[in-house]
Amino acid sequence: MSPLPDEAIASCVARVSIFRGLDAPQREDIARFGRRVELASGGRLYGVGDHVSDLFVVHSGRVRMVRILAPGKEQLIRMAGPGETVGEYPFLTGRPPLAWVFAVEPTILCVFPHQALAPLVTQYPAIALRLLSALAERLGDAERRFAEQAGVDVPTRVAEYLLSLPPGSGTQSAVVQLPMAKKDLASYLGTTPESLSRALTRLQRHGLIEVQTRGRIMVRDRSGLDASQGDRLLQSPS
């Protein structure tokens, strides 16, 4: 690990939501402890059972958090991009991580050591509140995904996921960009790449979407894609 350039440290602190609301001197207090770790594509940040208690902020690139269920089989928990944090569980509990984190592409992360950041969390309670808020949102997302995977068919899961993505701008307002590879999306939705491809094909056949190149999907009929309005269509025979 080596010190980040001042502007990069400041960028890490400014971009992450848990540090929002702090004034300039408070942000400088946090930035003083920032260090960087660089990962090549596929590089491991930490794994289950590792002795790590630091908080990591993605500065550039992306990481994927997974559970390894069996050799060659993973369950994607979430992806994290610039300004997002990983490592909250070991940071807050002092326990080893429950998941593995790998770089999706060349990635730079800011690392804030527990022994340096923990006293500042006590000093600035807003950090703790935002950290808990972020964790609560992720818990809610995990509960929603669990419920969907337990009782919702794959095409409906895919439809709901597409509707949750931010639309493009201008003439591309109907186009959404998949933020991950299809194999990762399949894992995230609790299905297989083959089932995901079949679901996308079915949605396209019904005129709800158009699958384009490089992970772009045009949503042709948002109301039809809405699961509550599209169940009968999605469950009709192929």
Side-chain angles (χ1 to χ4, degrees):
M1 294 185 189
S2 59
L4 275 169
D6 289 348
E7 62 273 14
I9 298 175
S11 174
C12 271
V13 174
R15 291 168 87 174
V16 66
S17 62
I18 63 171
F19 298 142
R20 267 182 217 143
L22 300 180
D23 59 29
Q26 292 171 338
R27 290 197 299 270
E28 288 172 6
D29 276 348
I30 302 237
R32 282 189 300 117
F33 302 105
R35 296 294 184 271
R36 80 174 173 188
V37 58
E38 298 184 21
L39 297 176
S41 180
R44 182 172 77 92
L45 180 62
Y46 60 74
V48 173
D50 283 358
H51 295 289
V52 58
S53 59
D54 302 331
L55 186 69
F56 299 89
V57 178
V58 180
H59 179 259
S60 62
R62 289 182 302 158
V63 297
R64 55 201 296 268
M65 180 178 289
V66 301
R67 293 188 65 191
I68 298 178
L69 306 177
K73 187 175 182 181
E74 298 177 347
Q75 173 67 53
L76 179 67
I77 298 173
R78 71 183 182 98
M79 305 280 282
E84 296 184 294
T85 56
V86 292
E88 297 93 339
Y89 176 78
F91 175 79
L92 289 172
T93 66
R95 298 174 183 171
L98 300 176
W100 301 75
V101 177
F102 300 96
V104 177
E105 57 197 60
T107 299
I108 296 176
L109 302 102
C110 303
V111 53
F112 296 95
H114 183 275
Q115 64 269 27
L117 186 56
L120 293 177
V121 171
T122 303
Q123 186 177 352
Y124 306 129
I127 298 175
L129 290 174
R130 288 186 174 89
L131 194 55
L132 290 173
S133 176
L135 291 175
E137 287 181 9
R138 285 183 207 152
L139 178 60
D141 181 63
E143 290 176 343
R144 177 186 57 77
R145 285 169 53 202
F146 178 79
E148 288 175 354
Q149 292 172 17
V152 178
D153 60 87
V154 175
T156 301
R157 280 182 238 165
V158 174
E160 291 179 346
Y161 179 78
L162 293 177
L163 288 171
S164 75
L165 295 176
S169 58
T171 58
Q172 299 298 308
S173 60
V175 177
V176 296
Q177 177 71 49
L178 296 181
M180 62 189 84
K182 288 183 180 177
K183 68 178 181 65
D184 288 327
L185 177 57
S187 176
Y188 183 77
L189 295 177
T191 187
T192 63
E194 296 77 15
S195 293
L196 173 63
S197 293
R198 286 194 293 270
L200 289 170
T201 298
R202 175 174 290 189
L203 295 173
Q204 182 166 255
R205 184 183 302 131
H206 286 302
L208 302 178
I209 65 171
E210 177 187 314
V211 179
Q212 302 180 341
T213 59
R214 299 182 179 180
R216 291 188 300 250
I217 295 180
M218 176 177 286
V219 178
R220 292 192 170 279
D221 182 354
R222 290 191 70 86
S223 62
L225 198 58
D226 186 285
S228 64
Q229 300 179 43
D231 272 355
R232 184 180 58 80
L233 180 62
L234 297 181
Q235 294 174 12
S236 62
S238 301

